[in-house]
Amino acid sequence: MTDTADTAEPSAAPRWTRYVACGDSFSEGLWDAPDGQDAPLRGWADQLASHLSRRRTAAGREPLEYANLAVRGRLMRPILTEQVPAALELGPDLVSIIGGGNDILRPSVDVERVAADLERVVAHVRSQGVDVLMGTGFDTHDSPLVRATRPRVGIFTAHVWSIARRHGAYVLDMWGMRSLHDWRMWADDRIHLTTPGHTRVAQAALVALGLPPDRADWDDPLAPLPPVPRLERARADARWLREHAYPWATRRLRGRSSGDLLAAKRPQPTPVD
């Protein structure tokens, strides 16, 4: 949270009445399917909307209205040029703009350009009187297969904090989340969160917005697991390369995305139960 952002009292109802999420698979909620893989995805943004709405109704206010325009596979530029303008047309007072992960996975990415594009759009949204929630990258220090992206993620994260300070935006600090260093928070593809991971990020989003979390242990590390034998780790790495890394690289070579044929899961603001 920046110095210009308001901090709400624990007993106060969240002031936001309409929230729109913009982004990629992270905000779409990939791998958070508590009702089964054939049921609609949920994700941290949906959980955040539920927390905000419940607190509003508990204080006698109307439920929060919520839309989610995020689509998996989206690069930062389409998020900024397509999703954010559509979000502003919905009349929100809170917008989350979280992306860049798909850009950073590409070695040729120009992180400075991605950050500059983000800042222009954040400045525009803030000029409309709309609050903005951005997100840092994840710290990939503990991931031997994705660690090569860490310098790029770190630079982008520094830009996010600077942009927030200049324009009075909120920041969801995933880089600093200790609980996300546990691999039980991560799905089999190693780049998306499981349901427990999304749940903890939703709590971190409350904190980022200056609100008290619902659970005190939201960022506490889990009890450590016993070490995994080297052969088992090697087999898991080989399975990851075969089932996740290779299909991703193939789509990239063909100029395709996992979200090419998908639309936003919640394109219109509706009250959150």
Side-chain angles (χ1 to χ4, degrees):
M1 186 182 68
T2 69
D3 290 344
T4 57
D6 294 332
T7 301
E9 293 296 329
S11 60
R15 68 176 183 275
W16 300 286
T17 61
R18 180 172 292 179
Y19 164 43
V20 181
C22 300
D24 51 25
S25 55
F26 173 61
S27 295
E28 183 188 351
L30 200 61
W31 291 94
D32 181 14
D35 298 321
Q37 293 302 318
D38 295 329
L41 294 174
R42 186 178 55 173
W44 73 269
D46 289 25
Q47 294 190 48
L48 172 62
S50 294
H51 292 312
L52 296 176
S53 189
R54 185 178 68 250
R55 294 181 185 193
R56 285 183 55 81
T57 57
R61 305 282 186 86
E62 292 296 319
L64 179 81
E65 293 187 350
Y66 168 59
N68 190 318
L69 307 183
V71 178
R72 68 193 69 176
R74 290 296 189 264
L75 299 172
M76 181 65 88
R77 183 157 288 179
I79 293 171
L80 300 176
T81 61
E82 299 170 11
Q83 293 182 18
V84 174
L88 291 178
E89 291 181 359
L90 300 177
D93 48 15
L94 175 64
V95 172
S96 58
I97 308 173
I98 301 181
N102 292 310
D103 302 77
I104 289 171
L105 284 172
R106 292 158 168 77
S108 61
V109 64
D110 183 347
V111 177
E112 306 300 327
R113 180 192 61 78
V114 174
D117 290 344
L118 175 61
E119 179 160 17
R120 281 193 295 271
V121 171
V122 169
H124 172 67
V125 176
R126 293 291 295 126
S127 73
Q128 306 300 305
V130 178
D131 284 328
V132 175
L133 174 66
M134 296 187 293
T136 71
F138 299 105
D139 186 355
T140 59
H141 176 267
D142 298 325
S143 174
L145 296 173
V146 192
R147 188 182 298 159
T149 65
R150 192 172 188 247
R152 300 194 292 273
V153 176
I155 293 170
F156 179 72
T157 292
H159 278 297
V160 166
W161 282 108
S162 296
I163 294 167
R165 179 59 60 90
R166 285 191 288 266
H167 300 287
Y170 297 92
V171 175
L172 172 54
D173 181 17
M174 292 168 288
W175 180 280
M177 289 185 65
R178 297 168 299 173
S179 58
L180 296 184
H181 287 274
D182 190 306
W183 281 107
R184 284 167 285 188
M185 300 295 105
W186 296 89
D188 290 343
D189 65 4
R190 305 184 182 182
I191 57 174
H192 293 100
L193 296 173
T194 57
T195 292
H198 279 283
T199 296
R200 283 162 173 77
V201 168
Q203 296 294 315
L206 288 171
V207 173
L209 293 171
L211 301 171
D214 283 343
R215 45 186 292 179
D217 65 342
W218 64 274
D219 198 28
D220 290 345
L222 302 181
L225 292 172
V228 179
R230 183 178 300 177
L231 179 59
E232 186 177 338
R233 290 202 308 269
R235 287 173 175 168
D237 290 346
R239 184 169 59 252
W240 175 79
L241 287 168
R242 181 178 64 254
E243 297 179 0
H244 299 288
Y246 177 75
W248 177 85
T250 301
R251 287 195 301 271
R252 182 187 169 197
L253 289 172
R254 294 175 178 173
R256 297 178 180 175
S257 166
S258 57
D260 281 346
L261 302 179
L262 299 180
K265 66 178 184 180
R266 189 171 179 142
Q268 294 297 323
T270 54
V272 179
D273 294 334

